[in-house]
Amino acid sequence: MSMEINLKQFGNVPVNADVITSLLKGYNAPLQKLMNMERQGDLIRIKRGIYVVAPKISGKKLSSGLIANHLYGRSYVSMQTALREYGLIPERVFSIKSMTTERSRRIATTLGEFVYVQCPPKYYSIGVTIYTEEGVSYMIASPEKALCDLVISTPNLNLRFLTSTEQYLEEDIRFDMDALKKMNSSIFRECAQIGRKKTSLLNIAKLIEKK
């Protein structure tokens, strides 16, 4: 069996270097072979000890969401990254943002920057879903939870009134207000009871119910 077929079994899922070298026991210098495959472009090193098979070998497109899930702790894609994925905000996102129950952290990789924001375990489990694209699935916030996460993680943001809440959504992040009308306000209310910035989240819920 060729090495290309062996690597193809991993698809586009990030894999630990130890797992790859276990396939290279027939070589005198497995680690050297690993580095050669990286230099040849068969493997892409995300960070030290973690690789992903190149699309030319796996036949699959790299998934930043899938990589984000595997790169650090218990996490799900959220905030601007998820909102952009859902088409709810127009701005391009230059880092992949996630929520995690681990410590907040930024990880610079060859594929870009991954940002993780800590939240309490009870808050973490609200409004998380599975997103599937091109046969790949990863954990992502629902549209409602992604907006909650953005609000609670934005420094100095305090939406005290409905007018300031609407202004923030329409002008600051240019949120799709038609989509807001269809959102589930109960997720904002549930997050408000457990997470930070209770008034801000409740005002979004009120704004939805007002519509």
Side-chain angles (χ1 to χ4, degrees), residues 35-173:
M35 289 188 288
N36 288 342
M37 289 191 292
E38 182 184 349
R39 279 194 291 267
Q40 292 166 3
D42 294 342
L43 290 172
I44 299 171
R45 180 167 58 174
I46 301 175
K47 69 172 188 175
R48 184 176 180 180
I50 299 181
Y51 293 82
V52 66
V53 178
K56 69 176 183 179
I57 300 297
S58 68
K60 294 185 177 181
K61 178 183 175 182
L62 295 181
S63 168
S64 58
L66 183 64
I67 291 170
N69 279 189
H70 282 76
L71 194 56
Y72 185 65
R74 184 186 177 206
S75 65
Y76 62 86
V77 174
S78 190
M79 296 170 279
Q80 294 96 327
T81 306
L83 294 175
R84 171 69 179 181
E85 188 67 44
Y86 291 127
L88 296 174
I89 59 173
E91 278 75 16
R92 291 181 60 192
V93 178
F94 296 98
S95 60
I96 309 303
K97 296 189 175 182
S98 300
M99 300 299 286
T100 180
T101 54
E102 305 295 328
R103 291 183 179 181
S104 296
R105 187 176 178 185
R106 289 178 179 266
I107 302 176
T109 77
T110 55
L111 300 177
E113 183 181 57
F114 292 77
V115 178
Y116 298 84
V117 176
Q118 185 183 46
C119 66
K122 288 185 178 180
Y123 174 88
Y124 176 97
S125 60
I126 301 170
V128 180
T129 186
I130 300 293
Y131 187 81
T132 301
E133 59 175 356
E134 299 183 12
V136 172
S137 298
Y138 57 88
M139 301 290 290
I140 190 172
S142 65
E144 293 89 347
K145 183 64 178 298
L147 183 53
C148 287
D149 292 341
L150 177 59
V151 169
I152 71 166
S153 64
T154 300
N156 304 315
L157 178 64
N158 184 13
L159 307 176
R160 298 176 59 191
F161 309 103
L162 289 183
T163 52
S164 59
T165 302
E166 193 163 14
Q167 182 179 10
Y168 167 74
L169 293 171
E170 288 186 328
E171 300 179 14
D172 293 2
I173 64 172

